[in-house]
Amino acid sequence: MILLLCATCLKAWFSMGVGFSLAVLAAVTMILLYEIGQILCLYYSNSQMSYVMSGYLLGFSSMISGLTISLADIGYLCISSIISVSVHELGHALAAASEGIQMEYIAVFLASLFPGALVAFNHELLLALSKVSALRIYCAGVWHNAALCAVCAWALFVEPLILSPFYIHDEGPMVLDVSPTSPLSGYLSPGDVIISLDGIRINNLQEWSQMIAILTEHYENSQNHSLPGNSMKTSVGKGYCVPYSLIEESKHISLKGNETSCPDELSPFITIQCLDQAMPDDDNLEVNHQRDGGELHCLYATDILNLEKCGDGWGRIRNNRSSCLCSKDKACFVPLLSTGVAWVEIAYSNPPLQCSQLGTMRVVDDDNSRENPCVKTFVFVGDVNSMKPSVLLTSYQPRWSAKFGAHLPYVLEKFLMFTFNVSLALALLNSLPVYFLDGEAISEVIIHYLRFLSSRRRRTILQYFLLGGTVASILIIFVQVFLVLL
């Protein structure tokens, strides 16, 4: 009785897989036609969307197609490929067992250095089955890969809840590793927690990536802020209220052609004009570059980081009539940078044991954070995009001070993401109407139901369908590889 119930449940399960696989086969066939139309210039559409669709369709993903995969990623890819292929073939085997078909052998092979496998059944027994039963077996692999994708997505969703007794989530990305060639290697080290970029609170990796993208766009759009006849530009409204007493002690330099330089460890600063702020009556203090012909001041960046901010380039908006937001005894100075160089203020925490409590690290967005001994600030001057790939971050922080286990959430998350992508690619790839894949057997069964056609015409239609799908897939792969290498 129990065996009969299990067999009934399995048939119901694999019958659901038939409906899903037929829908996917229809979808990928339409995408093939769409892509061929794009290649043959039959019509125009969003090329970026086309690239993403065909990339997933033919087994590419954003992690692989960018050619930025690391040795660690290759390990994740191999392990996730083994699991995805095993789940795929297990689906075929279970579906065949539910129909009373036993396996003859299992073959394991390597395809372009990646593992593959297949399960062989008695061909005569398969032909003796009804078309619906055979379709359950053929569609089981794609169906199980889709189920594996659902499991991975669910695991990624509940991972913060499962790990919550041991890890803090979304309280700031923690540094796991810093590349020796990273521009941040002299500032950040494993265990540090990123708190903010330019005063904007960063809670997780997604916000870190979004903020870098915003800053990149911000500085790309600021090229028109370059000084006339000079390759330097201001930091787009990111200023500091510098006391005049500090300005008097600073070193003065003047613009010479297209070059502006300061001694080592000093950065060039220039004032921004304040229409509603009175300047001090000091003839010896020339701080407005529009009045004195371009005189600059070389200041230590560490001396001004804790000063009050001014200008409209910061993330925090203050309600004040003045655009400079400085008192009368101060001037609003902004850094002077080379074209393509950004000025980003990064706050992070590398707390001692007594500062590792969650409540201590939460106060970071207000002015009191400057007095918090657990919070440190430095300025990154360079290409913003260079920060992202050179620092390995995780959205999880261990609730204990030991470094053991700090990489576990990252490894688990990476493994689930790779398995999801590989399993999805395998499901879509096997749904293609291509020779030697599951799509061939599924297409053969579907065309068999065209009873209004003769047996010969059905075979002819099947051959043209598979030949067209194979040629189209090879052509799209060629175009994708060409676009990646271009």
Side-chain angles (χ1 to χ4, degrees), residues 100-364:
I101 305 296
Q102 294 183 348
M103 294 184 299
E104 288 192 345
Y105 61 87
I106 300 175
V108 180
F109 57 90
L110 290 177
S112 301
L113 301 180
F114 294 104
L118 61 88
V119 179
F121 305 101
N122 189 299
H123 186 65
E124 295 181 356
L125 293 178
L126 283 176
L127 293 178
L129 289 175
S130 65
K131 297 301 180 182
V132 175
S133 298
L135 202 57
R136 292 194 191 100
I137 298 175
Y138 298 145
C139 296
V142 174
W143 177 234
H144 271 219
N145 279 130
L148 179 59
C149 289
V151 171
C152 291
W154 175 82
L156 285 170
F157 180 76
V158 301
E159 183 183 7
L161 180 62
I162 295 175
L163 297 179
S164 60
F166 311 102
Y167 297 89
I168 302 168
H169 186 250
D170 281 358
E171 290 290 342
M174 185 180 71
V175 178
L176 293 177
D177 189 28
V178 183
S179 171
T181 59
S182 170
L184 303 180
S185 60
Y187 302 98
L188 297 177
S189 58
D192 292 345
V193 178
I194 304 295
I195 295 176
S196 65
L197 294 180
D198 281 349
I200 302 297
R201 181 72 162 98
I202 304 297
N203 295 303
N204 49 48
L205 284 179
Q206 183 179 3
E207 294 181 1
W208 164 266
S209 300
Q210 290 175 350
M211 190 61 186
I212 289 179
I214 292 173
L215 289 173
T216 301
E217 181 180 2
H218 184 66
Y219 278 95
E220 286 178 353
N221 295 335
S222 68
Q223 299 303 319
N224 56 355
H225 288 77
S226 299
L227 294 179
N230 196 279
S231 61
M232 308 296 287
K233 65 181 180 65
T234 66
S235 62
V236 199
K238 292 182 180 179
Y240 300 85
C241 294
V242 182
Y244 289 117
S245 57
L246 181 61
I247 298 173
E248 291 175 349
E249 299 174 358
S250 68
K251 297 183 179 181
H252 294 251
I253 62 174
S254 299
L255 289 174
K256 297 180 180 179
N258 291 332
E259 296 182 357
T260 301
S261 60
C262 278
D264 294 339
E265 299 182 357
L266 292 175
S267 301
F269 286 81
I270 198 166
T271 55
I272 57 176
Q273 188 176 14
C274 303
L275 298 178
D276 54 351
Q277 180 173 331
M279 301 296 294
D281 296 331
D282 190 346
D283 296 334
N284 296 324
L285 188 61
E286 298 176 341
V287 293
N288 192 324
H289 70 280
Q290 294 183 355
R291 297 180 183 178
D292 62 17
E295 185 172 350
L296 306 176
H297 293 266
C298 290
L299 303 173
Y300 286 100
T302 54
D303 291 341
I304 68 168
L305 286 183
N306 292 329
L307 298 178
E308 183 182 359
K309 293 180 176 59
C310 56
D312 56 1
W314 300 102
R316 288 177 291 184
I317 300 176
R318 295 176 174 85
N319 295 323
N320 194 301
R321 295 181 180 179
S322 174
S323 61
C324 290
L325 306 174
C326 296
S327 58
K328 293 183 178 181
D329 59 340
K330 300 177 182 178
C332 187
F333 273 75
V334 296
L336 196 61
L337 308 171
S338 301
T339 302
V341 175
W343 176 283
V344 183
E345 190 173 298
I346 302 176
Y348 71 100
S349 175
N350 186 12
L353 184 61
Q354 63 269 23
C355 294
S356 62
Q357 301 296 327
L358 177 61
T360 307
M361 295 176 58
R362 281 183 175 174
V363 183
V364 295

Side-chain angles (χ1 to χ4, degrees), residues 48-60:
Q48 181 66 25
M49 179 59 68
S50 171
Y51 179 81
V52 173
M53 290 170 63
S54 60
Y56 272 109
L57 173 65
L58 299 174
F60 293 99

